[in-house]
Amino acid sequence: MSIASTQKKGFGAILWDYLTTVDHKKIGNMYLAAGAFFFLLGGIEALIIRIQLIKPENDFISAGLYNEMITMHGTTMIFFAAMPMLLGFMNGVMPLQIGARDVAFPFLNSLGFWLFLLGGILMNLSWFFGGAPDAGWTGYAPLSTSSPGHGLDYYVMGLQLSGAGTLMGGINFLVTIVTMRGPGMTYMRMPLFTWTTFVASILILFAFPALTVGLFLLQFDRMFGSAFFDVALGGNSVIWQHLFWIFGHPEVYILILPAFGIFSEIIPTFSKKRLFGYSSMVFATFLIAFLGFMVWAHHMFTVGLGPVANSIFAVGTMAIAVPTGIKIFNWLATMWGGSIKINSAMLWALGFIPSFTIGGMTGVMLGASTADFQYHDTYFVIAHFHYVIVGGVVFGILAGLHYWWPKFFGKVLNETMGKIAFWLFFIGFHLTFFIQHFLGLMGMPRRYWVFLENQGLDTGNLISTIGAFFMAAGSIVFIINIIYTTAKGEKAANDPWGTGRTLEWAISSPAPEYNFKQLPLVRGLDPYWIEKMDGNTKMTPAEPLDDIHMPNGSILPVVISIGFFIASFGFIYQVDNKSWLIVLFAGMVIAIGSMLIRSLKDDHGHHIHKEDLEKEAD
Amino acid sequence: MSHDHSLSPEIHDPAKATHEGKHKYLGLWFFLGGETVLFASFFATYLALRNSTAGGPSSQELFGLELVFVMTILLLTSSLTSVYAIYHMKNHDFKKMQLWFGITALLGLGFLGFEIYEFTHYITDYSFTFRSSAFGSAFYTLVGFHGGHVVFGLSWLTALMVRNAKRGLSLYNAPKYNTFAIYWHFIDVVWVFIFTVVYLMGMVS
Amino acid sequence: MSHWMGKLKTLLMLSFTAIVLSACGKENLTALDPKGYGAEKSMDIMILSIVIMTAVFIIVAIIFTIAVVRFREKKGREDYIPKQVEGNHTLEIVWTAIPIVLVFVLAIPTIITIFDLADTAEAESSIKVEVTGNQYWWHFDYKGEEIQTSQDLYVPVGKKVYLDIQSSDVIHSFWVPTISGKMDANPENVNTMFIEAYEEGVYWGKCAELCGPSHSLMDFKVVAVSQDEFDQWVEDMKNVNPEEKPQDAVASEGQDLFEANNCMACHAIGSSPVAVGPNLTNYANRTAVAGILEPTKENLVDWIMDPESIKPGNKMTGNYPEVSRDEAEKIAEYLMQLDHSDVNPESAGGIID
């Protein structure tokens, strides 16, 4: 057990500890918790959408509220639920997997988290201050520039804050992986999850600035009277679509690649077999990322870009099927000849393969531009991306939660409840979304507040809504499982699965503050498995026991984030009343002042002393 | 692992002698990768809108090469002086480093002064503003974001120079100076693109 | 497309629709039963891609099932350590190469059809209609014919009709699933596409780009009639006399009220550049009130009395003087008598219920 957690602490002290922490594991846990919270919000919004669509011409919610609901559902799920939870895994697992004691920029890492959290809170506060954004999560101009009220302003500021936070996280992971790999941990010995963290971080780095620019243009048009999207003054609304999708398509891979990484850890562990075609998996990851930047305009086939552009982007899109196919077949080949143990974590991974394959199939179908003229902006697209994002990313997150729960929280989740949750969610998922492929082709565009009577869309929508409730039930069982495990679960061993392959399973569950008392010597891919096969129970140390240097905690990331949070209100409301500029400046002073303090005040960190380490158990 | 930050003579590059230094160095390069996409997006937006004058003044009417040429010289020179400063840092000569960084800051300030003059000139003499047309919005946003980067760089440099004036060079602050210098070069490169894409292309077409 | 594809198509349409769904949606709304040039091309590519993808899925599913069943951990052999296989070059090349081939098989016909559908060679010699998307209705202006209409687009069957699509406000998207794929209506540029209906009929059209609260209520129709009927319709529409007095007294009063309340500021009757609101020429033959309601007088009265309750966020609400129910009924009576052509939705076979 770590030094910190052996001492009994009061609530205030724990709160302060989390507010000031720069420990990547605690930050990871906070990402997971915040992501889960937003996941529930987004889920409730999804249920409201499905209730509205349970029957034709329903009036459960009004048209305006419906548009707010779909916008917040999409934005919340992508930016505030899926991505943060994946960042949580990256924080919690990646440094352990490469044999590092810390990340390269612990302070920045913490700042990234708080910016994301306050960005998410900011956007959701719009519900209470005059209405949420209502132009869809894609916020197409000029609907977004002309949307009345402040909903879209909250959208802009919320995404701007959390986007900056995510960018910081990405840079931190990149530098960590390049510079902090432990002794013997060469690039081609890195676990696949670390690889996908690396590649997803590259995507974050090069994709998010495009969104930042798009949001600035939208912000300037809405708040300061510029004319980027104002056709009367020569503006062009298609620019927004380009910028949004230059970010938006890589964003899909920012989500799915880490999920691929999670499956690439789970499938070998529970097949007791090394990952088949490791190098081609790494290569395919890079190829998907590269192609992911080349295909943004396949979201814009009906914009009128012309046949040449449509053809190029169609072929590029289809090409992504090749590296994705390589991955699917490698996972199958990993299981082939193995000894497959099916528990909850593995069940989610097994459920993923056929579900995601369907999503991939419809992806290629959507890439065929001629056919996309029919699919585009219908429920077919809704079905497709939910197969990819739920069937891929959410399944990945749930698989990862079962798999690494003991490493994060020291307890193994209950298996029975895990399986019940899986089957409820899995059945509900297919029930909800499979039928939507057909609804789309039968003439139901997406973002429809009502569908009309007698248009042959009633049964399909009813089935879809029923499925959504199954998914909700599955989620509730999972929550009960968490509560039950926290209260009753038994303490987990270092390697609770017995077949762990990577470094995180060589240390205690949960990991101590400094991760590794002595940095381990890595002798190949799957280093812990290698030691176990050689009859060793733990890793061979690569260094003598010595003092460990650790970064100091700081409250400044919270203060900086709050500064920007306050300034955001200034930005939003100065449109109505210029005296809000005071709030804007006050927020900026807090934020920039804190940054200055950080910059000018020396922080050399602290040491955990050798003598204290010797007292700790392994 | 020692965490003594004093400078010993055998250290060749004090900016990259510590773990923190290496992290900062690499992290800044990655950050500049993201910044490149940021400016590329602004450039693309500008290129798409540069003829959308909505009846207002066009680039040919507005731009004058003399002013922009002087600004270019100032900023390019400031990049050069920051190279001298880093050279002296590697020789562990703190005073000369501060001196050359001081000159860098002054040149940057000069650039900024001219830019402010340029914007005021357009606004008062041509009534060409951020709100005049899509071209106006795109111009002020692209050039303004660059200017904003210059302001940030100058504040950063000033803070560093004042903070460390009495402390001398150490392994703790050398990486900070070094990352600033790389950032400053980046701003310079962006300006070269602005000079070409905005001003030169704006004069001819 | 080639002969084999036609056969495959029939086979697939049968099995695919029969197994998965009892019906493939409402006739003249669904994209799965194409009756126009663009929809047919899209369907061809859809079927080709579904065939390829289903084959891939079946292969994945078979390998997956065998792997999970055959290689499950056996009771009593929990300590068994399988052989740690690094990879297999032959296999890896196979499952890289085959998808590349499949991508080519799909990409080539896709590109051919993309260019085919973007072909504007016949645009000059064909009927051209300027289509304008508005919150939340569609305006149609027949080029060179001085005919403007709204919501119902009349086209001759078997002919390419070129549409110059644009928006007056936010982005909309023009979609008639049974006849053709969609094209966005952007505020800054005109997008051109053609539609060609193979059969006479009234086809549902939908807006397919989020455009505000009433996005889902922005329906329209394409009425495909025979060439003779279309010519007749053009003739009728050109000869509309907007000043014409209705026969009965109630409708006459309605006409006076229509004028007194300045409805013409937005709604033209007859050919007119006014397009603030829908052009109401030939209103008696409209397939729907406000694009979505049964074309009855009661519905029209409801609309005139309180459009907000029918289409939230519409631009009519609050922009005209308050009218009593009595007045609204008279106006409705007047509009319902604006029967300017004998060519109507019934000529095209009527609306499918």
Side-chain angles (χ1 to χ4, degrees):
Chain A
M1 285 297 283
S2 77
I3 294 166
S5 56
T6 44
Q7 297 154 355
K8 276 272 173 212
K9 287 199 280 190
F11 174 76
I14 292 172
L15 183 69
W16 182 252
D17 184 31
Y18 272 89
L19 287 174
T20 59
T21 189
V22 290
D23 179 348
H24 65 92
K25 297 175 291 296
K26 283 182 184 156
I27 291 172
N29 291 348
M30 289 197 290
Y31 264 120
L32 288 177
F37 168 73
F38 286 118
F39 187 84
L40 289 180
L41 277 188
I44 291 167
E45 283 150 9
L47 280 181
I48 293 172
I49 292 169
R50 281 317 321 170
I51 293 172
Q52 166 64 18
L53 295 176
I54 197 168
K55 60 177 182 156
E57 295 178 39
N58 199 4
D59 59 354
F60 178 65
I61 55 173
S62 72
L65 185 58
Y66 182 81
N67 284 355
E68 294 174 22
M69 213 53 87
I70 56 160
T71 305
M72 288 303 286
H73 167 70
T75 318
T76 303
M77 285 302 199
I78 298 275
F79 291 99
F80 304 132
M83 212 162 49
M85 291 188 85
L86 291 168
L87 287 173
F89 285 117
M90 294 177 185
N91 267 302
V93 176
M94 182 273 288
L96 305 182
Q97 285 194 331
I98 62 170
R101 291 215 172 91
D102 195 8
V103 290
F105 302 113
F107 181 91
L108 209 59
N109 197 19
S110 156
L111 179 58
F113 168 76
W114 291 107
L115 280 173
F116 138 70
L117 182 64
L118 286 171
I121 291 172
L122 180 70
M123 195 184 291
N124 276 283
L125 283 179
S126 62
W127 287 117
F128 307 104
F129 298 125
D134 59 357
W137 85 280
T138 51
Y140 274 18
L143 185 65
S144 53
T145 46
S146 59
S147 167
H150 286 297
L152 258 296
D153 301 327
Y154 278 95
Y155 168 90
V156 167
M157 299 314 299
L159 288 188
Q160 213 58 303
L161 285 194
S162 69
T166 307
L167 192 66
M168 290 174 193
I171 292 176
N172 174 39
F173 293 139
L174 284 173
V175 178
T176 303
I177 293 173
V178 173
T179 62
M180 297 182 74
R181 282 167 290 118
M185 179 57 80
T186 60
Y187 280 109
M188 289 311 275
R189 286 176 181 174
M190 293 195 319
L192 239 283
F193 180 70
T194 297
W195 264 120
T196 54
T197 300
F198 185 75
V199 176
S201 300
I202 294 177
L203 288 174
I204 288 174
L205 179 62
F206 291 114
F208 264 81
L211 176 70
T212 306
V213 170
L215 290 171
F216 271 128
L217 305 189
L218 184 55
Q219 181 181 0
F220 293 165
D221 267 20
R222 284 188 64 90
M223 298 177 190
F224 303 110
S226 62
F228 291 104
F229 309 126
D230 184 347
V231 178
L233 289 174
N236 188 319
S237 68
V238 179
I239 292 174
W240 166 266
Q241 296 186 36
H242 279 294
L243 289 173
F244 187 86
W245 289 118
I246 287 172
F247 148 77
H249 198 75
E251 167 69 17
V252 178
Y253 297 104
I254 294 171
L255 296 175
I256 198 64
L257 288 178
F260 284 174
I262 293 171
F263 294 123
S264 302
E265 301 296 316
I266 290 175
I267 291 173
T269 298
F270 297 112
S271 304
K272 283 206 220 167
K273 200 162 152 278
R274 70 173 271 169
L275 186 67
F276 191 92
Y278 170 84
S279 341
S280 70
M281 287 298 251
V282 174
F283 176 70
T285 308
F286 272 96
L287 200 58
I288 291 173
F290 178 76
L291 290 172
F293 269 105
M294 305 289 157
V295 297
W296 78 87
H298 70 213
H299 298 267
M300 300 166 66
F301 280 147
T302 67
V303 169
L305 301 177
V308 178
N310 280 1
S311 300
I312 293 170
F313 283 101
V315 176
T317 306
M318 292 177 201
I320 296 182
V322 177
T324 315
I326 292 176
K327 281 184 169 271
I328 299 267
F329 286 114
N330 275 325
W331 286 317
L332 292 175
T334 305
M335 295 197 292
W336 195 276
S339 175
I340 302 169
K341 186 178 176 192
I342 299 181
N343 57 15
S344 309
M346 187 63 174
L347 208 48
W348 284 106
L350 292 177
F352 151 81
I353 290 178
S355 309
F356 187 81
T357 306
I358 295 174
M361 284 165 56
T362 52
V364 176
M365 291 165 67
L366 280 157
S369 170
T370 319
D372 181 71
F373 297 150
Q374 291 287 20
Y375 306 135
H376 179 81
D377 253 345
T378 67
Y379 265 78
F380 188 91
V381 176
I382 306 283
H384 159 71
F385 71 67
H386 281 94
Y387 263 86
V388 177
I389 291 181
V390 180
V393 181
V394 175
F395 281 24
I397 289 170
L398 286 161
L401 284 175
H402 281 91
Y403 183 57
W404 281 308
W405 197 269
K407 197 50 68 187
F408 295 155
F409 304 108
K411 288 172 177 182
V412 183
L413 284 168
N414 180 283
E415 271 302 316
T416 317
M417 276 191 269
K419 283 176 182 159
I420 295 172
F422 169 80
W423 285 111
L424 282 172
F425 199 92
F426 183 78
I427 292 167
F429 161 69
H430 285 282
L431 216 49
T432 309
F433 295 111
F434 193 76
I435 194 78
Q436 291 184 358
H437 293 111
F438 297 93
L439 283 175
L441 289 170
M442 282 153 67
M444 183 158 167
R446 69 191 283 199
R447 292 164 170 173
Y448 261 31
W449 164 54
V450 289
F451 57 95
L452 302 180
E453 262 167 9
N454 195 22
Q455 297 206 333
L457 304 170
D458 307 14
T459 321
N461 274 298
L462 178 64
I463 292 172
S464 190
T465 302
I466 293 169
F469 279 94
F470 272 86
M471 290 169 80
S475 309
I476 290 168
V477 174
F478 182 65
I479 294 167
I480 295 170
N481 192 356
I482 293 175
I483 297 166
Y484 174 83
T485 306
T486 310
K488 300 257 172 124
E490 282 177 30
K491 192 177 154 18
N494 289 7
D495 178 14
W497 312 118
T499 50
R501 309 177 72 86
T502 41
L503 281 179
E504 73 266 33
W505 305 112
I507 54 175
S508 62
S509 306
E513 185 192 357
Y514 44 81
N515 299 350
F516 301 93
K517 198 187 275 185
Q518 291 163 284
L519 291 181
L521 180 68
V522 174
R523 298 197 289 148
L525 182 66
D526 296 337
Y528 187 45
W529 178 264
I530 293 178
E531 299 300 331
K532 283 197 285 192
M533 288 301 107
D534 285 356
N536 303 328
T537 51
K538 52 183 178 178
M539 299 300 297
T540 317
E543 58 174 15
L545 190 61
D546 200 353
D547 289 1
I548 294 175
H549 178 243
M550 297 300 287
N552 287 334
S554 170
I555 191 67
L556 287 176
V558 178
V559 180
I560 294 172
S561 304
I562 289 175
F564 284 123
F565 181 76
I566 293 170
S568 300
F569 283 100
F571 273 111
I572 292 169
Y573 290 105
Q574 53 82 27
V575 178
D576 304 335
N577 186 338
K578 288 295 163 208
S579 49
W580 278 89
L581 286 171
I582 299 166
V583 176
L584 198 169
F585 289 122
M588 281 301 187
V589 167
I590 295 172
I592 294 171
S594 315
M595 284 156 84
L596 206 62
I597 292 172
R598 169 66 186 172
S599 180
L600 301 184
K601 197 165 152 277
D602 288 1
D603 180 0
H604 296 289
H606 65 276
H607 285 85
I608 301 175
H609 295 290
K610 194 175 157 184
E611 299 73 42
D612 295 324
L613 287 168
E614 278 166 349
K615 283 181 226 150
E616 298 268 306
D618 279 317
Chain B
M1 259 207 287
S2 137
H3 277 271
D4 178 13
H5 286 115
S6 61
L7 218 47
S8 57
E10 67 271 17
I11 290 170
H12 169 62
D13 185 353
K16 280 171 256 171
T18 59
H19 284 295
E20 289 76 13
K22 281 179 197 146
H23 294 168
K24 282 205 172 77
Y25 179 71
L26 193 62
L28 188 88
W29 273 109
F30 280 124
F31 171 70
L32 294 183
E35 287 267 277
T36 307
V37 179
L38 184 99
F39 277 105
S41 304
F42 279 127
F43 273 110
T45 307
Y46 176 80
L47 284 174
L49 297 174
R50 71 192 181 111
N51 294 320
S52 304
T53 52
S58 68
S59 54
Q60 290 97 321
E61 294 164 48
L62 288 166
F63 300 156
L65 263 196
E66 300 81 1
L67 181 74
V68 188
F69 185 71
V70 174
M71 287 163 73
T72 310
I73 295 294
L74 283 176
L75 205 61
L76 285 179
T77 315
S78 81
S79 215
L80 184 69
T81 54
S82 75
V83 172
Y84 286 145
I86 294 297
Y87 169 80
H88 290 299
M89 182 180 86
K90 287 184 181 167
N91 285 341
H92 304 189
D93 188 340
F94 180 71
K95 284 217 169 95
K96 280 192 179 150
M97 182 191 85
Q98 288 278 82
L99 175 68
W100 282 107
F101 269 133
I103 297 170
T104 304
L106 288 177
L107 289 167
L109 209 58
F111 169 87
L112 209 59
F114 277 111
E115 184 151 88
I116 291 166
Y117 166 76
E118 185 202 2
F119 283 8
T120 327
H121 172 61
Y122 293 157
I123 293 165
T124 50
D125 298 346
Y126 291 91
S127 313
F128 173 68
T129 71
F130 186 58
R131 302 175 185 201
S132 306
S133 61
F135 164 60
S137 305
F139 170 79
Y140 284 108
T141 304
L142 171 59
V143 183
F145 257 86
H146 176 267
H149 276 72
V150 174
V151 173
F152 179 77
L154 287 176
S155 325
W156 182 4
L157 180 58
T158 314
L160 274 180
M161 288 178 66
V162 172
R163 172 70 177 102
N164 294 303
K166 291 198 180 129
R167 305 204 300 177
L169 195 63
S170 72
L171 290 180
Y172 185 76
N173 60 26
K176 298 186 180 208
Y177 279 106
N178 192 48
T179 42
F180 162 77
I182 301 169
Y183 172 84
W184 195 252
H185 291 316
F186 174 78
I187 292 178
D188 200 33
V189 172
V190 172
W191 177 258
V192 171
F193 278 94
I194 290 180
F195 179 71
T196 318
V197 172
V198 177
Y199 293 101
L200 285 185
M201 283 170 62
M203 301 283 288
V204 292
S205 63
Chain C
M1 284 288 121
S2 57
H3 184 63
W4 60 268
M5 234 173 106
K7 274 188 178 169
L8 241 182
K9 194 170 127 182
T10 339
L11 190 82
L12 251 131
M13 271 311 291
L14 283 173
S15 50
F16 172 72
T17 48
I19 295 166
V20 185
L21 281 178
S22 53
C24 53
K26 188 179 172 69
E27 198 183 349
N28 288 0
L29 167 64
T30 176
L32 292 170
D33 179 15
K35 293 181 186 176
Y37 191 87
E40 192 187 44
K41 293 289 170 196
S42 295
M43 195 69 196
D44 287 345
I45 298 294
M46 266 185 229
I47 286 168
L48 177 63
S49 56
I50 290 172
V51 170
I52 296 174
M53 289 303 139
T54 311
V56 173
F57 181 74
I58 290 170
I59 292 168
V60 170
I62 290 171
I63 302 174
F64 175 78
T65 315
I66 296 175
V68 173
V69 172
R70 200 173 133 197
F71 298 106
R72 224 172 139 169
E73 191 176 77
K74 309 282 184 305
K75 276 250 151 57
R77 292 190 65 198
E78 283 84 2
D79 294 334
Y80 164 70
I81 305 289
K83 186 159 173 265
Q84 304 289 308
V85 188
E86 257 187 59
N88 180 322
H89 279 287
T90 323
L91 270 180
E92 286 172 49
I93 288 168
V94 168
W95 66 52
T96 311
I98 293 177
I100 291 176
V101 174
L102 293 180
V103 163
F104 271 99
V105 171
L106 181 56
I108 291 163
T110 302
I111 293 172
I112 292 170
T113 48
I114 291 173
F115 279 89
D116 185 36
L117 290 181
D119 183 29
T120 51
E122 292 169 54
E124 287 316 305
S125 56
S126 304
I127 301 165
K128 283 192 115 176
V129 183
E130 279 180 14
V131 174
T132 310
N134 306 277
Q135 282 172 328
Y136 302 97
W137 57 282
W138 295 88
H139 181 71
F140 305 113
D141 189 341
Y142 289 72
K143 269 191 186 166
E145 298 282 10
E146 305 217 327
I147 297 174
Q148 288 86 26
T149 172
S150 299
Q151 300 296 53
D152 293 350
L153 175 65
Y154 282 74
V155 296
V157 89
K159 289 276 162 56
K160 282 186 180 173
V161 176
Y162 279 80
L163 307 176
D164 283 346
I165 302 170
Q166 200 171 9
S167 165
S168 71
D169 38 50
V170 301
I171 300 171
H172 305 277
S173 194
F174 181 94
W175 188 34
V176 191
T178 307
I179 296 182
S180 176
K182 52 191 83 61
M183 181 62 94
D184 287 1
N186 296 330
E188 55 269 311
N189 69 297
V190 172
N191 282 329
T192 302
M193 78 165 197
F194 64 84
I195 56 171
E196 181 185 338
Y198 289 159
E199 292 173 23
E200 289 187 28
V202 180
Y203 299 93
W204 267 270
K206 303 246 170 206
C207 175
E209 183 61 65
L210 179 63
C211 56
S214 286
H215 166 53
S216 59
L217 305 172
M218 203 175 144
D219 282 22
F220 62 100
K221 303 280 194 320
V222 168
V223 183
V225 293
S226 70
Q227 182 69 51
D228 291 344
E229 286 167 321
F230 181 74
D231 293 339
Q232 178 64 48
W233 181 80
V234 168
E235 205 53 38
D236 294 341
M237 290 297 281
K238 282 206 284 204
N239 294 321
V240 170
N241 173 17
E243 309 294 317
E244 192 183 2
K245 283 274 162 201
Q247 302 294 325
D248 66 278
V250 181
S252 277
E253 273 184 64
Q255 187 182 28
D256 295 339
L257 283 164
F258 189 80
E259 284 166 17
N261 285 305
N262 204 18
C263 302
M264 295 100 75
C266 303
H267 297 286
I269 292 167
S271 179
S272 159
V274 175
V276 182
N279 186 302
L280 299 177
T281 317
N282 200 18
Y283 194 84
N285 292 320
R286 276 294 157 80
T287 54
V289 168
I292 46 168
L293 301 174
E294 290 273 317
T296 62
K297 190 180 155 191
E298 293 71 45
N299 282 338
L300 182 55
V301 171
D302 287 345
W303 170 261
I304 296 170
M305 297 288 295
D306 184 11
E308 193 64 18
S309 69
I310 295 166
K311 269 191 178 176
N314 74 80
K315 299 285 167 71
M316 179 161 155
T317 304
N319 282 320
Y320 61 102
E322 210 165 298
V323 289
S324 66
R325 178 159 288 274
D326 183 49
E327 287 170 326
E329 276 178 10
K330 284 172 183 161
I331 295 172
E333 185 60 39
Y334 164 61
L335 294 175
M336 291 309 255
Q337 288 189 19
L338 291 173
D339 187 357
H340 294 123
S341 178
D342 291 337
V343 178
N344 53 35
E346 291 308 317
S347 321
I351 304 164
I352 294 169
D353 223 4

